[in-house]
Amino acid sequence: MWKKLSKQEINEAVFSALRQNRHYKHEHVLGIPVSHLDDKVFYDNFEMLKDAPFLSTMVDNPNHIGCHTLGESEAFFAGTQAIERELVAMCAEDIFKGDEGEFDGYVSSGGTETNIQAVWIFRNLFNREFGAKNEEIAVICSDDTHYSGAKSANLLNVNYITVPVDQETRKIDVKILHQTVAEAKARGIKYFAGIVNMMTTMFGSVDNPQDYIDAFQANDVKFHLHVDAAFGGFMYPFSNNNNPVNFQNPYITSIGMDAHKMAQAPFGTGIFLIRKDYMQYALTEEAQYVSGMDMTLVGSRSGANAISVWMILKTYGYYGWTEKINMLLYRTNWLCKKLDQLGVEYYRDEHSNLVTMKSKFIPTELAQKYALVPESHTKENKWYKIVVMDHVSIDALNLFLEELEQSLAQTDEGVLV
Ligand SMILES: *Cc1c(COP(=O)(O)O)cnc(C)c1O
């Protein structure tokens, strides 16, 4: 498991990496259409930046275009690319239990890109290896899946199939899943990209990959599984270490996680992880000017993003991160106990920091005041969620609960009319 580093060790590692990059100012870099941040606008005072490795990387502005865990990469930014490689390995091996050196990956713009990247790779693999036509391919996932699953199917011109979940347990209805796959097969769909959720956006529910594997095998169809851990990737593996959603499961081909959610990194820090020998299916051979070519969806991207996530993980260390997650769980348990006392009904996975309350208990004004997020802004809304993050302290939760208690006391049966 990765170790915690001191501030000084982190500074040294990042500044040493920056020195290994080609520097736009101190060297003659004539051929690339990128530069350091504009110093008429952005502060580049050496004294101020010398203890600020992330800001220094922002100002230096290395471009991490491409994927750096395989083949060649742009030599200009080799120093910070090496840090990104280490980050990918920490996530694939320490968090998701993959074997050492067996994974590729990169820092994407976020969970949306990560999901599209996975479906893109699977679609091209089905096309190339089996001669599959796009109409014979489907993305399949639960109704609670993030809408980027639908985006990916739309962009990649493949079918999109969803499976209902139980409204109370948020579990996939396994019988309907089997039927749905059988019906799709009868319509000529023979190749499936299954999206397994590790914490859905609205409920924090976690799918069982075996449900999909059973349904695909029973129907004798080809498939690959991608785990959408955009929300849960920096939470669930720590709060429920024995869960079955990881690379020990040979059917899980790729996993995506967002550092800009639970890990409090800047936006633009999705992390895409995939077994070796799959990235090539997203190779764009026309990308001739990029050394090592490009196997990512995004193209140019900031090297500072990778540095930020690496710094966060190294500041805590694996066990320090586990402690931080446990503090969030402690607060969430506290919140749930209070909701139980008030008789407010909610959904929560016991290892999650997300509590989704039935809207009939929550006055609209209170939801607005405390910025609770509704399940739907357009249809009739049935749920409001609280996400227990670093800034969501017990004191803050308590203010909300006191007001909630008052408004429930004014109603007949603890339910708003
Ligand atoms: C937020 C989220 C996404 C999309 O991630 P972005 O970083 O906003 O692109 C995908 N899946 C899940 C489960 C999410 O919570």
Side-chain angles (χ1 to χ4, degrees), residues 113-411:
E113 180 186 331
T114 307
N115 287 344
I116 297 170
Q117 177 82 18
V119 175
W120 188 28
I121 287 175
F122 298 164
R123 188 203 64 175
N124 287 356
L125 182 156
F126 293 140
N127 290 157
R128 220 172 290 164
E129 303 298 333
F130 305 104
K133 299 196 199 81
N134 286 351
E135 59 262 34
E136 296 173 318
I137 302 172
V139 171
I140 186 166
C141 53
S142 82
D143 271 346
D144 280 349
T145 301
H146 187 268
Y147 63 86
S148 50
K151 261 189 194 173
S152 70
N154 180 278
L155 282 166
L156 292 161
N157 200 22
V158 296
N159 297 283
Y160 183 64
I161 301 172
T162 60
V163 186
V165 297
D166 182 281
Q167 293 303 300
E168 297 299 319
T169 65
R170 312 314 296 186
K171 293 267 174 265
I172 290 174
D173 189 318
V174 176
K175 220 168 112 201
I176 299 186
L177 173 59
H178 278 252
Q179 279 169 11
T180 307
V181 175
E183 280 163 21
K185 190 181 176 190
R187 282 189 285 136
I189 298 171
K190 292 182 277 190
Y191 307 91
F192 290 84
I195 299 180
V196 175
N197 289 297
M198 173 177 263
M199 295 184 71
T200 53
T201 313
M202 192 63 204
F203 294 93
S205 49
V206 178
D207 297 331
N208 183 356
Q210 198 60 42
D211 292 345
Y212 284 103
I213 296 165
D214 290 343
F216 295 141
Q217 289 181 337
N219 287 287
D220 193 24
V221 292
K222 295 250 181 303
F223 68 95
H224 279 282
L225 292 181
H226 168 70
V227 173
D228 182 352
F231 193 112
F234 285 102
M235 173 90 204
Y236 210 80
F238 299 88
S239 60
N240 182 15
N241 192 252
N242 288 323
N243 83 81
V245 188
N246 57 56
F247 284 125
Q248 293 287 304
N249 183 330
Y251 293 104
I252 291 177
T253 303
S254 59
I255 300 180
M257 55 207 303
D258 266 359
H260 57 224
K261 287 186 176 155
M262 290 309 301
Q264 295 174 261
F267 288 113
T269 49
I271 298 178
F272 181 69
L273 308 168
I274 191 161
R275 293 179 189 279
K276 285 278 180 203
D277 300 330
Y278 285 90
M279 280 307 283
Q280 65 186 64
Y281 290 103
L283 173 69
T284 300
E285 289 184 19
E286 290 83 350
Q288 296 288 345
Y289 76 81
V290 182
S291 169
M293 316 249 181
D294 189 4
M295 302 186 204
T296 68
L297 185 55
V298 67
S300 293
R301 58 191 174 85
S302 170
N305 286 344
I307 300 298
S308 73
V309 186
W310 181 92
M311 285 175 62
I312 291 168
L313 296 185
K314 289 286 189 177
T315 297
Y316 285 88
Y318 179 86
Y319 295 104
W321 193 258
T322 307
E323 286 178 26
K324 180 178 158 109
I325 293 304
N326 274 308
M327 182 197 58
L328 298 180
L329 283 177
Y330 173 83
R331 292 180 190 168
T332 316
N333 291 342
W334 183 91
L335 168 65
C336 288
K337 212 162 87 194
K338 295 284 176 186
L339 290 174
D340 288 338
Q341 286 164 6
L342 293 177
V344 172
E345 292 166 22
Y346 58 88
Y347 173 86
R348 180 208 175 191
D349 179 295
E350 63 176 315
H351 305 286
S352 142
N353 60 329
L354 210 161
V355 180
T356 312
M357 301 166 293
K358 292 194 176 163
S359 62
K360 65 181 176 188
F361 296 96
I362 313 293
T364 315
E365 313 81 68
L366 216 54
Q368 279 167 359
K369 178 169 176 189
Y370 288 95
L372 307 185
V373 169
E375 182 191 26
S376 175
H377 286 281
T378 47
K379 287 185 263 169
E380 187 206 352
N381 177 47
K382 296 207 179 90
W383 301 91
Y384 282 113
K385 71 171 172 178
I386 291 181
V387 185
V388 180
M389 303 278 300
D390 196 61
H391 65 275
V392 182
S393 62
I394 288 190
D395 281 319
L397 290 168
N398 207 23
L399 289 176
F400 163 73
L401 287 166
E402 279 171 5
E403 285 199 57
L404 181 61
E405 183 170 14
Q406 274 171 18
S407 57
L408 291 176
Q410 289 159 11
T411 61

Side-chain angles (χ1 to χ4, degrees), residues 27-139:
E27 298 173 63
H28 304 296
V29 180
L30 308 185
I32 42 180
V34 289
S35 189
H36 55 80
L37 294 191
D38 188 321
D39 52 17
K40 288 199 180 56
V41 184
F42 302 102
Y43 207 59
D44 68 347
N45 180 300
F46 174 77
E47 273 308 306
M48 188 202 159
L49 290 177
K50 78 179 195 315
D51 292 320
F54 169 67
L55 289 180
S56 294
T57 313
M58 290 282 285
V59 170
D60 272 18
N61 207 23
N63 186 355
H64 276 202
I65 190 168
C67 175
H68 313 304
T69 55
L70 77 170
E72 282 171 33
S73 290
E74 288 289 2
F76 304 129
F77 309 113
T80 45
Q81 286 165 2
I83 291 190
E84 177 168 323
R85 261 198 303 282
E86 192 187 345
L87 169 66
V88 166
M90 281 151 67
C91 294
E93 296 164 17
D94 291 353
I95 301 181
F96 284 108
K97 304 185 179 183
D99 292 336
E100 199 179 327
E102 292 301 314
F103 292 85
D104 288 317
Y106 73 99
V107 176
S108 72
S109 59
T112 299
E113 180 186 331
T114 307
N115 287 344
I116 297 170
Q117 177 82 18
V119 175
W120 188 28
I121 287 175
F122 298 164
R123 188 203 64 175
N124 287 356
L125 182 156
F126 293 140
N127 290 157
R128 220 172 290 164
E129 303 298 333
F130 305 104
K133 299 196 199 81
N134 286 351
E135 59 262 34
E136 296 173 318
I137 302 172
V139 171

